[in-house]
Amino acid sequence: MSTLYIVATPIGNMEDITLRALRVLGDVSLIAAEDTRTTRKLLSRYDIDTPSTSYHDHNRVSKLPVLLEALSHGDVALVSDAGTPSINDPGAELAAAADSAGHTVVPVPGPSALTAALSVAGIEAEQFIYLGFLPRRGGPRRKLFDSLIGEHRALVAFEAPHRLTETLADIFKKLGDRQVVVCRELTKLHEEVFRGTVTQALEHFIEPRGEFTLIVLGADVAAEPDDALFERAREILRYESSRGSKSKDAIAAASMTGLSKNDMYRLWLEIREGSAQ
């Protein structure tokens, strides 16, 4: 039986490819690539002439038997456009099918935006929750954050540049003005690691560009004093007031603080009266 190698490739800087990965890519009989054009740039950089074929979300059903047939004749390597296959990229089905067919499935570890971001975040990351790519639509995204209000572990997610500000606003609305680490274009020319609060991040990323990895610190394990809860509610209500939200929607957004509706309505009235002066 043959071997299916799951090979991690650079997330930006091509020098991050491992020596083992280069050897495997040169030795296998076929490379299954998410985008053969992207992979060809890497192979050309290191003078590797192994044949490649596409394997992505849109053709993985039809291509699966083809790759299993290729494995019956020799070893195959699976790569994604960047990082580690099977993590937010195609690969899980192929790995499972290859194993079921009696082939050996071997990881060739290397670059990952997830671990790269955590390594420079400057936070204790013994435990964290990986959310992958966040929901594209606001409703499902806010619902997800609702379910994580009391989570004490750090949250790690990927986000597209055109949705970054909306996502940060949803984090503020649902989780409060927490500390965040926003990593942009990791290992690339315009790499940036921002550390600060959600509101500071919103002020900083006016026109986001590039690929983003977000780390949101978890809820404080210690119970917050009442004055801190009131101040957090004020922050949320001020934000909702600036957006022109109705009282019902504003109070619903501030409900994550755990304050009573009467307290939140009183704060809402104070904020509205202050803004009218």
Side-chain angles (χ1 to χ4, degrees), residues 71-146:
L71 277 167
S72 67
H73 300 289
D75 296 338
V76 173
L78 172 68
V79 300
S80 62
D81 285 349
T84 304
S86 300
I87 302 177
N88 287 115
D89 288 318
E93 291 179 356
L94 178 58
D99 179 72
S100 296
H103 301 291
T104 303
V105 181
V106 174
V108 181
S112 165
L114 171 65
T115 52
L118 286 168
S119 71
V120 298
I123 65 171
E124 295 294 332
E126 294 179 357
Q127 294 185 344
F128 59 90
I129 294 181
Y130 175 56
L131 302 176
F133 285 100
L134 293 170
R136 296 184 177 185
R137 293 186 292 116
R141 189 169 58 239
R142 289 187 289 273
K143 186 176 181 180
L144 172 63
F145 291 144
D146 271 333

Side-chain angles (χ1 to χ4, degrees), residues 191-231:
E191 178 181 270
E192 178 183 9
V193 179
F194 172 89
R195 301 176 182 84
T197 63
V198 176
T199 52
Q200 289 171 337
L202 281 166
E203 293 173 357
H204 180 77
F205 293 103
I206 304 298
E207 296 181 356
R209 294 181 180 179
E211 297 179 339
F212 288 86
T213 303
L214 301 176
I215 301 176
V216 184
L217 271 64
D220 192 351
V221 177
E224 291 185 283
D226 288 344
D227 57 348
L229 293 177
F230 274 94
E231 184 54 37

Side-chain angles (χ1 to χ4, degrees), residues 5 14 17 24 53 95 133 143 158 160 187 199 202 214 229 253 269:
Y5 293 96
M14 285 195 181
I17 190 76
V24 168
T53 187
F133 285 100
K143 186 176 181 180
F158 297 147
T187 80
T199 52
L202 281 166
L214 301 176
L229 293 177
L269 289 179

Side-chain angles (χ1 to χ4, degrees), residues 179-198:
Q179 292 289 319
V180 294
V181 181
V182 184
C183 300
R184 183 174 75 91
E185 294 287 89
L186 285 172
T187 80
K188 299 178 183 178
L189 179 62
H190 300 292
E191 178 181 270
E192 178 183 9
V193 179
F194 172 89
R195 301 176 182 84
T197 63
V198 176

Side-chain angles (χ1 to χ4, degrees), residues 16-70:
D16 290 337
I17 190 76
T18 68
L19 294 175
R20 183 187 178 199
L22 292 175
R23 177 181 60 77
V24 168
L25 293 174
D27 289 347
V28 296
S29 59
L30 180 67
I31 297 172
E34 186 177 5
D35 188 325
T36 55
R37 295 166 299 181
T38 300
T39 300
R40 182 51 53 191
K41 294 177 184 178
L42 176 67
L43 298 179
S44 297
R45 169 75 177 267
Y46 292 101
D47 297 322
I48 297 173
D49 57 6
T50 303
S52 63
T53 187
S54 64
Y55 178 72
H56 47 71
D57 280 332
H58 302 294
N59 74 352
R60 59 184 177 181
V61 173
S62 61
K63 214 55 175 289
L64 190 59
V66 176
L67 294 177
L68 290 176
E69 175 64 21

